[in-house]
Amino acid sequence: MTTYLSWNCRGIRFKLHDIRTILNNFHPACFCLQETLTSNIPLKLRGYNCVRKDTDTGSRSCGGVCILTSNLYSSTPLTLHTTLQAVAVQVHTRALVTVFCIYLPPHDAINQQQLNNLVDQLPKPFLLLGDFNGHNTLWGSDSTNSRGRQIEQFISNNCLCLLNNDEKTYFHEPTRSFHSLDLAICSPDLLPLLKANSREIWKKISWNVLKLKM
C-alpha cells in the first residue's frame, strides 16, 4: 500500500529531525507540510524531491506549504494559478494521482471562487491535504464556525469526498485542547483506490501527522 502524510509542522527550521524521523518510519510517497514558516532554509532530504511555496510578510516569514515526493515514484510539479498558499504534484504510484497541499491562515477570509478555481486546475483523480483552519461537526469538531460552513459548502459544491473520521488532528497547547483542523478530501474517482473502510484510514501519531493509505 502507498502512504500519504500531511502535517502542519509550524516551522521546518527546528523540525528537520522530526521530518526525517517521520520519513524513515513511514516511507510515504508524498509528505505534505503546512506552515513551513521560512523561505531561507533549504529542505534537502535524501530520497525525496521538494516542491514548495513560501510566504513572506515584511521581515517575518509566515505560512508556506511544501510537498516532499519520494524518488521511488515518478512525479511532476504542477503550476497553479492562484494567490493561495498551495502546491500540487502528479505522482504515479498504483495509479497517476494529483496530490494537492494547502494552508488557509485562520484569519484570512475564504474566497470560494479561488478554491473552486483551484479544483478546476487539478487533473483527476486528486487528493487534497492541508490545514483548513475551520471547525465543523462534520469532521469531528465540537461546534461549527463560519469557516467550517464555508469549507463544507466548498466540498458540497464540487461533489468532493471528505475522508476524515472524528479523530482530532491538532493539540492547542495554550488551552490544552484538541481540535480537528487538518482535512483530507478527494475526488470521487479516487475512492475506489482507497481502503474499503475509509473511516479508519486516518491514524494520529505523536506528531499529530495525518496518515492515509491506498
Side-chain angles (χ1 to χ4, degrees):
M1 286 191 176
T2 308
T3 300
Y4 297 85
L5 302 179
S6 180
W7 185 34
N8 185 323
C9 62
R10 292 171 179 81
I12 62 173
R13 183 185 298 271
F14 301 109
K15 302 295 179 60
L16 288 176
H17 174 73
D18 288 333
I19 291 170
R20 290 190 180 97
T21 299
I22 293 168
L23 291 175
N24 290 335
N25 283 352
F26 296 99
H27 307 288
C30 290
F31 189 7
C32 296
L33 299 169
Q34 302 89 40
E35 281 200 275
T36 49
L37 298 182
T38 182
S39 60
N40 57 9
I41 298 295
L43 193 55
K44 296 182 179 180
L45 296 157
R46 181 178 298 177
Y48 282 84
N49 299 312
C50 175
V51 177
R52 61 193 288 183
K53 182 176 183 179
D54 298 302
T55 303
D56 292 326
T57 303
S59 60
R60 183 176 65 89
S61 296
C62 63
V65 288
C66 169
I67 300 179
L68 299 172
T69 307
S70 172
N71 289 341
L72 296 177
Y73 306 97
S74 60
S75 62
T76 305
L78 297 180
T79 299
L80 299 177
H81 301 285
T82 182
T83 59
L84 295 175
Q85 298 182 44
V87 289
V89 299
Q90 275 193 299
V91 57
H92 200 288
T93 55
R94 294 180 61 192
L96 185 62
V97 176
T98 301
V99 179
F100 172 80
C101 176
I102 188 169
Y103 173 68
L104 297 179
H107 302 298
D108 289 2
I110 284 186
N111 185 315
Q112 289 279 358
Q113 190 57 50
Q114 279 189 306
L115 289 176
N116 294 338
N117 288 341
L118 271 177
V119 168
D120 292 339
Q121 295 177 53
L122 299 178
K124 294 180 179 179
F126 58 77
L127 177 65
L128 279 64
L129 298 172
D131 184 350
F132 287 75
N133 276 303
H135 298 276
N136 194 308
T137 55
L138 187 64
W139 50 80
S141 301
D142 295 329
S143 60
T144 299
N145 62 5
S146 58
R147 167 72 69 90
R149 283 190 289 272
Q150 288 177 305
I151 297 167
E152 180 181 355
Q153 191 64 51
F154 159 71
I155 294 171
S156 175
N157 288 346
N158 290 279
C159 300
L160 302 178
C161 302
L162 178 68
L163 301 173
N164 289 63
N165 57 23
D166 294 334
E167 287 189 59
K168 308 300 183 184
T169 65
Y170 169 61
F171 179 67
H172 188 245
E173 187 74 33
T175 60
R176 311 293 294 176
S177 58
F178 289 91
H179 302 275
S180 300
L181 301 175
D182 308 287
L183 303 181
I185 301 165
C186 73
S187 56
D189 44 358
L190 191 58
L191 276 177
L193 300 179
L194 299 174
K195 287 182 64 178
N197 190 342
S198 63
R199 293 183 62 82
E200 294 183 0
I201 58 179
W202 288 97
K203 306 294 180 185
K204 188 173 59 154
I205 59 178
S206 58
W207 300 280
N208 289 325
V209 174
L210 292 178
K211 179 181 178 183
L212 174 66
K213 283 196 171 187
M214 65 176 66

